[in-house]
Every structure is written in C-alpha cells, then in structure tokens.
Amino acid sequence: KVLLRHLLGQNTREHVLDWFGVPRELAPWISSLDNPEHDLLMMRVDVLPSVGGTPWICEINVDSSVGGAEMAQFRRMEELRNGTRPQPTPYDDLVCLLGKILGRIGGRKVCIYDWSAWAGRGFFSPEWLRQTLTTGLPGIEVFAATELDGCTRIDKDTVVYRMFLSQDAMGQLDLMNELYDKAGFVLS
C-alpha cells in the first residue's frame, strides 16, 4: 500500500502499470489503481538481507505467483517424511483470505482459475491448493477451471482465485470481461 500510494501520488495510473510491466488493457480489473487502501490488496515484495543485515528489495511481484506455494509443497513433503510439525504455507493464508471474501459476498464456491498451457508444467499442482481449500473452507464447493472451460460454473456466489499470468489473458480479453462480470469476486 505504501508503494502504491507513493507511485500513484507521483505518476499516472498508466505509468504505474508500465512500471510494473502490467499491460494497460488489464487496467479495468485492477481495483488497487483506484483504491490503494483496499484491504484485500496483495503484492509480494522479495527482500534479501545484505551482509550487514540491511534489507534490499530485489523484486516486486504483482502478478499471479506459485513459487512460494511450490516451495511450500516441497517443504510439506519433507515435514511429513521427517515427522516434523507442519509449518504454515501460503495456502493456509489463502484459506483465511478467501474465507473473509466469501463471508463478505455471501459466497458458496471457490474457483481456482488457471490457463491450460500451465497444466503439467513444473512441480506446482493446483490439486494441493484445491485440497487445502476444501479442508480449510468446510461447506464451500471448490473447483478448478481453465480458459477452455470458460465461465460456465462461475456465478455471483463464486470467488475466483486467478492463477494464470496476466499475459495469458491478453489474447482473450472478452473471456476476462465475462469472468469478472459473472464472478462475485476475483482475487488476482
């Protein structure tokens, strides 16, 4: 919020999008540009400590990210193998955030929306996320979808968690309009 307030206080919305490398066509779906005080704002800042202990920002992430979740999956497998106490993961934080949003909109469904091109790439699997959300949000229907499925199961009772990158959506802006119009809330 501090970064966005500062940037938006000195620059146009378009300049801020350019600075973050976000295509301008996606601006209609980025609520933080209109309200940097939004209480559900998500941005990950990667910080590295110097030898002297001073923190240095090495990267600011504003798009969908699975790196932390992927690393947490590996750690969880090690914890289970070693019999050590499981540590919280980004999925656990997401359960809390989605629960808060579901309560606000009176939602009953969560859709994990990804792009089909990412299926089977890398070690990340939305199945771990689906299982965590199903366990952490009892009574909530949790399902996965891709652009190939369209928005058939999504309605105003659905919170959509966008997994795909913004660049993936550039060729299908009509689908993005439909997604945001149909869903009760889209978390990017």
Side-chain angles (χ1 to χ4, degrees), residues 12-162:
T12 64
R13 296 172 75 218
E14 291 74 22
H15 183 268
V16 173
L17 287 170
D18 293 344
W19 192 79
F20 281 118
V22 176
R24 291 181 181 188
E25 295 86 348
L26 302 178
W29 304 298
I30 304 173
S31 60
S32 57
L33 292 174
D34 298 320
N35 180 13
E37 299 303 321
H38 198 286
D39 67 332
L40 299 174
L41 183 62
M42 290 175 57
M43 177 180 1
R44 192 182 82 243
V45 180
D46 292 347
V47 178
L48 293 175
S50 68
V51 174
T54 304
W56 291 90
I57 294 175
C58 65
E59 183 176 47
I60 298 173
N61 299 277
V62 295
D63 211 334
S64 184
S65 171
V66 298
E70 196 171 66
M71 289 173 55
Q73 282 181 200
F74 288 126
R75 189 187 71 218
R76 179 62 46 95
M77 286 186 261
E78 281 296 306
E79 291 165 345
L80 293 171
R81 187 176 68 85
N82 296 331
T84 56
R85 183 175 157 202
Q87 298 299 307
T89 71
Y91 293 159
D92 300 319
D93 295 331
L94 190 57
V95 165
C96 293
L97 183 59
L98 289 171
K100 186 177 186 179
I101 297 167
L102 286 162
R104 281 188 184 181
I105 71 164
R108 300 177 316 209
K109 299 187 284 186
V110 170
C111 174
I112 303 166
Y113 209 96
D114 205 356
W115 218 254
S116 61
W118 295 108
R121 292 182 130 182
F123 297 102
F124 175 78
S125 166
E127 181 56 22
W128 283 70
L129 175 56
R130 191 194 65 72
Q131 289 179 23
T132 302
L133 296 178
T134 299
T135 302
L137 299 168
I140 299 297
E141 177 188 353
V142 180
F143 63 96
T146 71
E147 84 286 1
L148 300 178
D149 303 311
C151 302
T152 54
R153 294 180 63 189
I154 297 169
D155 57 27
K156 291 299 179 192
D157 288 332
T158 310
V159 174
V160 175
Y161 179 63
R162 175 183 69 90

